[in-house]
Amino acid sequence: MVQNGLNHYFRQENYQIFLLKDESPSVKQKSTKNIPIGRLRYPQKILEKIIKQYPQRALPYKLLGDYYNIQLKDISNFEIVEQVKISDLEEKIYTYYSQAVKLKHEDSYLNRWLGGYYARNNQIELAEQFYLKNSRKNSEDPISLYRL
């Protein structure tokens, strides 16, 4: 549920409530005003609770990293944002993504993000390792291959 909400929301309110709408062809609506809307409330709290209960599961760490990455993508578009805020979000994302990797979570976006993080911090060997993970799988990640 949380993964669906973070990946397919059409609007969010203060990063606390994510709104999803059902636009499937099976739902026949006469107007766009009556489209069913679902709400995901407080995904950060849900994920933190799951991590507390099940610390050895990798997916909640990855999703909490995704949650902070949504915020980073939004504020990266503004020039007035303090660099401190951006670096704080990057560190949170790094913490959760690296924990997911330690728990053996496989995800091409996660590998690409960590590769970029290490490249920005001049740790080229580590960046290359993460980009190479994406090039060895059945479905190669073109962005990782380009960055190699």
Side-chain angles (χ1 to χ4, degrees), residues 59-124:
L59 187 58
Y61 290 101
K62 193 264 184 201
L63 292 175
L64 199 50
D66 289 349
Y67 170 79
Y68 288 114
N69 200 16
I70 290 169
Q71 295 177 40
L72 180 66
K73 287 177 185 177
D74 284 351
I75 66 169
S76 295
N77 295 326
F78 299 104
E79 295 176 8
I80 58 173
V81 176
E82 299 174 16
Q83 186 60 35
V84 176
K85 174 104 172 146
I86 292 173
S87 60
D88 286 348
L89 282 173
E90 282 183 339
E91 287 305 313
K92 286 180 182 180
I93 297 165
Y94 169 76
T95 300
Y96 291 113
Y97 279 176
S98 61
Q99 185 62 30
V101 168
K102 286 178 191 171
L103 294 172
K104 309 285 188 236
H105 186 75
E106 295 288 328
D107 185 87
S108 61
Y109 180 79
L110 186 144
N111 291 333
R112 186 185 326 143
W113 192 93
L114 285 170
Y117 176 84
Y118 287 123
R120 285 189 300 279
N121 290 302
N122 295 323
Q123 296 176 314
I124 304 304

Side-chain angles (χ1 to χ4, degrees), residues 14-31:
N14 240 9
Y15 303 106
Q16 300 302 315
I17 299 173
F18 289 78
L19 302 175
L20 298 114
K21 58 183 170 183
D22 186 2
E23 295 180 334
S24 65
S26 63
V27 179
K28 304 278 185 192
Q29 297 294 328
K30 292 181 181 179
S31 76

